[in-house]
Amino acid sequence: MIAAIPSAVLIGVDGKLVSVEVHVSNGLPGFTVVGLPDAAVRESRDRVRAALLSSGLPWPLRRVTVNLAPSGVRKGGAGLDLPIAVGLLVASGELDPDSVAGMAFVGELGLDGSLRGPTGVLVLAEALRDRLLVVPEVSVAEATVGGTGRVCSAPTLRRLVDCLAGRRAWVAPRSERHPGGSAATDGVPAGAHDLAEVRGQRLARRALEVAATGGHHLLMVGPPGAGKTLLARCLPDLLPELERSTSLEATRIHSAAGVGVPVGGLVTRPPFRSPHHGASAVAMIGGGTTWMRPGEISLAHGGVLFLDEMGEFPVAVLDALRQPLEDGRVVVSRARGSTTFPARFVLVGAMNPCPCGEGGAPGRCRCGDAARQRYARRLSAPLLDRFDLAVRVDRPDVDQLIGGPPGESTATVAGRVARARSLALERQGTPNAGLTGARLDRHAPLSDDAATLLELELRSGALTARGLHRVHRIARTLADLEGHRAVVAAHVGEALLLRCRRELLLGEGDGR
Ligand SMILES: [Zn+2]
């Protein structure tokens, strides 16, 4: 007898419908899976068999063939365990075909018959929203986030079979809605770091506020222990809640990557990702051989990508960031086709000023000029061009650490950021970092004195054409923070201090 059970598999961050066809026939007992299964799907035989037997359900001593249709799509992951098990029970006559009509199934099976949540439940549920979807109990919140389909669940295979056979009632879906949360890395919850903890660092704090407001990428250069990491970790909390569409995109990415979907199922706070400099290009950008997994740049979608010790990342990995930084998405191509992942984030880079970290300080820095030049060149010119902002971050002095007043809190600064951001969004629909060419001129009109100041800088050679746009964009954000329509000379003057220059990496510009 044949059973066909609807399910879905993950392709990138999209769900693809799969029909799990199970055929049980007389013949030599055996179990074959066809239709481009990956290793995890082929191993499902052992999990399904153990789960059936531990649940007190029969394993047919007959010939079992499982076909995964359409056959042209590679199927990965263990989420097909449950539809295979259900198909087997229907095909061997243990379950009435009518009892599963109109339903779809996704879930992994434990050897003890428990149901475990597969990766990407949100995305799979979207693909199966026309049917009554059965998922493991742990996956209900994630499956219902999209708010589209109908979902029911069971904790174990035994319980599921009893529900399908009408012997027991379905587990009522939990109705309470958990608040969403951030998808912080390293187990650091949102709000764990407050700007009030940052002593001194006037310029760096300002740069952080500007980065949050305009979405400008920020480079921080300074010795170890100066507080660059703490500053970066404060950035997500300066950003407003994710818009609904970005929130759903971020949740799909986190779901598809199998990492950190918050309790309520929806990623609502800007994520913070901080990959180590040993991360591979695939881990950073996305991809993989059998399973197209989103990379760190997509996990940071809507939030912050922090690259600490940027000079230590392989040059190839850094250069691979350039296109996503330009497009806000990344196209990962492999032999079996290409996948597009969203990847719009604020990049924060931190770098020591030289290999030893002391940045040419007399008596402390052990690096020669040539070594320092080489180190600075690790950031290619095209990558450096993506940074609007760059600041020196030096270790706070003793007075600031002991007697200095506490800085403004995250909540205070975030209030200013939110007001200024909404000005930019009302005016041009995007944060200021996206303004180039004619749009920049149209949306950031310069007062006469501002134009004069920029002209002076250009004529003296202190500013290049590329630097001009950068200063213009930052000045637009500074004006928004003050609620000004036009950009005046004071904004340009401050933007000149905050703009990204290679000299900062070479320790020639002081920046303070
Ligand atoms: Zn040095």
Side-chain angles (χ1 to χ4, degrees), residues 257-332:
V259 297
V261 176
V263 182
L266 199 59
V267 176
T268 58
R269 290 294 311 158
F272 179 83
R273 300 296 297 185
S274 172
H276 187 258
H277 54 71
S280 67
V282 166
M284 189 73 110
I285 303 300
T289 45
T290 57
W291 179 32
M292 288 280 211
R293 189 181 184 280
E296 290 290 338
I297 62 170
S298 294
L299 288 165
H301 182 60
V304 176
L305 181 71
F306 176 50
L307 302 184
D308 199 5
E309 303 195 45
M310 212 168 165
E312 304 296 326
F313 281 80
V315 171
V317 170
L318 292 180
D319 280 345
L321 294 173
R322 279 160 42 193
Q323 206 54 45
L325 282 170
E326 192 77 25
D327 299 341
R329 63 197 174 91
V330 59
V331 181
V332 183

Side-chain angles (χ1 to χ4, degrees), residues 441-458:
D441 290 332
R442 182 162 72 246
H443 295 301
L446 295 166
S447 70
D448 290 345
D449 56 350
T452 308
L453 178 53
L454 281 173
E455 193 186 330
L456 279 173
E457 291 285 319
L458 281 168

